[in-house]
Amino acid sequence: MITGVVIAVIGSIAFAAASVLQALGADRVAQRAAVREERRRSSKAHPSLRSTVATMLTVPFLIGFVFDIVGFIATILSARLIPLFLSQTIISARLVATALLALVVLHVSLTMRDWLAGAVVIASLVLLAVSAGREGVDDERWLHWAVLVAGPALFAVGIVVMRVVHRHLAAATGLIAGAIFGVMAIASRILDGVEPLRVGVLFTDPALYALLISGILGFYLFTVALQTGSVNGAAAALVVGQTVLPGMVGIWLLGDVTRAGWGPVAFVAFAAAILGGIVLASSGAVTAVEKADLTNMPTGFGRRAEPAASSATPESH
């Protein structure tokens, strides 16, 4: 239990560090005179492929990518060691670390509400860890195929949503992206051929490909969610999607349990952690990080183009 919690915390911090470092890299590129002039001349003021590549080649962005890999591995490992309702909630608490790192690295101020929300999340995670029982060992073969289908199916729903939904698009897309990340966590739990390592079993398990595909699709869809509207709405919805779905599946289908008599405590702590994460998603620090991540990203699928008239005023970063 302790090992799984520690790994999940490492993953949460790694994702937060990745976000802040990538935001720092994007901000450095945005401040270059050549890029500012390029944007000033652009009729749509959208980031170009040139500025995107420049961002990805900065040292902070590259280091951030390494942290993303660390976070990805930690997500997989923690999902196998502790109940999903605990591992995914800890991973989603990266917003706490993001806000604190943004305070130090990007010099973004935090409000009293941000501090309180962060305290609620941390206290809830402590209670959740104390109340959590063993991770489930139930596993049926059909689940391995179900997660392989679920990731692409949810992604297809996300694409349709981007076509037909006009209000709260970022939140809707962020929710679906979170659910896809939840599918990745479920696939991590049920993956065969890991302990002990059996290469033949591992590479013939549909859950392995579900894990990889869901990770890629979830990342892409969340990036699009950030580009289609409210950064706060997308981040808050992501927290809900990546915690509720895997938490429910873990309890109902995989056998995750709480300690005897601690069920109500776990439920309250789980809900409080999610609500705290939603509040923290609206933090100015989190918003600054997520927006900076997109500072030099080309216009994505579904992003609304800005009126040509807006070209008179360059974007400020």
Side-chain angles (χ1 to χ4, degrees), residues 203-222:
F203 282 93
T204 55
D205 189 346
L208 173 64
Y209 304 99
L211 186 160
L212 297 174
I213 293 172
S214 294
I216 295 171
L217 296 181
F219 177 80
Y220 173 79
L221 199 60
F222 182 58

Side-chain angles (χ1 to χ4, degrees), residues 108-187:
V108 179
S109 60
L110 299 179
T111 65
M112 180 58 68
R113 187 185 67 169
D114 298 335
W115 288 106
L116 290 175
V120 167
V121 171
I122 293 173
S124 298
L125 290 178
V126 171
L127 285 175
L128 200 59
V130 171
S131 61
R134 63 170 177 81
E135 71 279 6
V137 294
D138 299 342
D139 184 9
E140 296 184 26
R141 191 62 185 174
W142 67 267
L143 278 173
H144 295 244
W145 291 101
V147 291
L148 180 60
V149 173
L154 285 169
F155 181 77
V157 171
I159 296 299
V160 172
V161 166
M162 285 187 288
R163 293 290 191 184
V164 302
V165 174
H166 302 291
R167 298 186 60 184
H168 308 298
L169 176 57
T173 312
L175 180 65
I176 297 171
I180 295 176
F181 282 129
V183 171
M184 184 188 79
I186 297 168

Side-chain angles (χ1 to χ4, degrees), residues 211-277:
L211 186 160
L212 297 174
I213 293 172
S214 294
I216 295 171
L217 296 181
F219 177 80
Y220 173 79
L221 199 60
F222 182 58
T223 301
V224 173
L226 293 174
Q227 293 178 308
T228 54
S230 169
V231 169
N232 297 338
L238 180 79
V239 171
V240 176
Q242 75 176 141
T243 52
V244 174
L245 174 64
M248 292 170 60
V249 170
I251 293 173
W252 290 346
L253 298 178
L254 302 180
D256 289 347
V257 296
T258 62
R259 293 171 57 189
W262 285 76
V265 175
F267 177 80
V268 172
F270 182 71
I274 293 175
L275 291 175

Side-chain angles (χ1 to χ4, degrees), residues 4-5 8-9 12 74-75 77-93 125 128 185 189 242-243 246 256:
V5 170
V9 170
S12 181
T75 299
L77 293 177
S78 64
R80 298 182 64 85
L81 296 172
I82 54 179
L84 289 176
F85 64 79
L86 177 58
S87 68
Q88 288 304 103
T89 306
I90 293 176
I91 293 295
S92 70
L125 290 178
L128 200 59
R189 163 67 67 78
Q242 75 176 141
T243 52
D256 289 347

